[in-house]
């Protein structure tokens, strides 16, 4: 199991029997939110399955559902896990915004050569079909559609006025 979404899957719940203990590194690995974690812990407890954590500062053993300290620890650790996940998402969004504001590209680097895209644009202007462009450039059809040609720059009245003024002066 690699993700927390796998943990809440039906197969996960069917694999364990009464008396089993699920051991996790930290309690927040059982669910993405406090609600998900508590629902899973209660569902497992109803079936006689416990959950134990290894790395959290508060040891949790949910195999005894009548222990109020264990219930409190589960809620607190799930809350801290959800809070940390929320902060991590906010930090990542802030880092992306700062990087974008600095004019740098965010995300995976492009593998398409800009000269090939320029050649693609040239071929499109000469009315070649997409199949012909794929054959000549080696760029896949999907990538060609992902990188449409740039639209021509609109000419404003000011641009026309300036170009006519240059002609009059010459």
């Amino acid at each position: 199991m690699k993700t927390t979404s796998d943990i809440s899957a039906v197969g996960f719940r069917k694999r364990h029997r009464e008396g089993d203990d699920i051991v996790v590194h930290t309690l927040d690995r059982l669910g993405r939110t406090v609600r998900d974690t508590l629902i899973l812990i209660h569902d497992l407890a109803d079936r006689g399955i416990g959950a134990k954590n290894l790395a959290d500062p508060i040891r949790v053993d949910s195999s005894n559902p009548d222990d109020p300290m264990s219930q409190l620890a589960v809620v607190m650790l799930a809350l801290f896990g959800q809070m940390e996940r929320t902060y991590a998402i906010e930090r990542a969004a802030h880092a992306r915004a700062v990087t974008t504001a600095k004019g740098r590209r965010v995300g995976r680097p492009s593998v398409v050569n800009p000269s090939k895209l320029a050649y693609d644009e040239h071929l499109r202007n000469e009315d070649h079909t997409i199949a012909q462009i794929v054959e000549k450039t080696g760029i896949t059809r999907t990538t060609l559609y992902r990188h449409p040609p740039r639209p021509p720059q609109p000419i404003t009245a000011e641009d026309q006025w300036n170009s006519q003024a240059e002609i009059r002066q010459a």
Side-chain angles (χ1 to χ4, degrees):
M1 286 172 270
K2 294 182 181 179
T3 65
T4 54
S5 62
D6 291 339
I7 288 175
S8 61
V10 175
F12 175 80
R13 293 178 182 192
K14 287 183 179 178
R15 264 185 285 224
H16 301 288
R17 297 181 300 259
E18 185 175 347
D20 286 351
D21 280 330
I22 297 171
V23 180
V24 292
H25 182 66
T26 57
L27 196 67
D28 62 334
R29 302 302 302 155
L30 286 177
R32 295 182 181 197
T33 64
V34 174
R35 182 179 183 178
D36 291 345
T37 305
L38 293 179
I39 287 172
L40 182 62
I41 295 269
H42 286 288
D43 180 42
L44 293 173
D46 289 344
R47 295 180 42 226
I49 301 169
K52 294 181 181 180
N53 64 334
L54 298 176
D56 287 324
I58 304 171
R59 290 284 175 238
V60 172
D61 182 2
S62 69
S63 59
N64 181 8
D66 297 329
D67 181 14
M69 290 306 290
S70 179
Q71 290 175 359
L72 177 64
V74 167
V75 172
M76 294 298 292
L77 291 173
L79 180 63
F80 289 140
Q82 180 178 341
M83 187 174 67
E84 179 54 35
R85 181 171 284 115
T86 302
Y87 287 154
I89 290 169
E90 289 176 1
R91 285 191 303 269
H94 177 69
R96 282 191 303 274
V98 168
T99 302
T100 303
K102 289 180 179 178
R104 287 187 277 171
R105 189 174 184 282
V106 177
R108 188 174 176 177
S110 177
V111 295
V112 180
N113 188 340
S115 63
K116 280 190 176 183
L117 286 177
Y119 184 50
D120 157 51
E121 191 171 340
H122 170 73
L123 292 174
R124 286 185 195 217
N125 290 338
E126 291 187 354
D127 295 328
H128 284 77
T129 65
I130 293 293
Q132 292 169 332
I133 296 171
V134 166
E135 185 179 317
K136 290 183 179 190
T137 61
I139 301 173
T140 64
R141 179 179 297 270
T142 306
T143 303
L144 286 175
Y145 286 125
R146 192 178 303 131
H147 297 279
R150 293 178 301 239
Q153 294 295 328
I155 298 175
T156 63
E158 183 179 346
D159 292 338
Q160 285 182 336
W161 177 259
N162 291 338
S163 65
Q164 288 176 359
E166 290 173 9
I167 294 171
R168 284 190 297 259
Q169 290 177 356

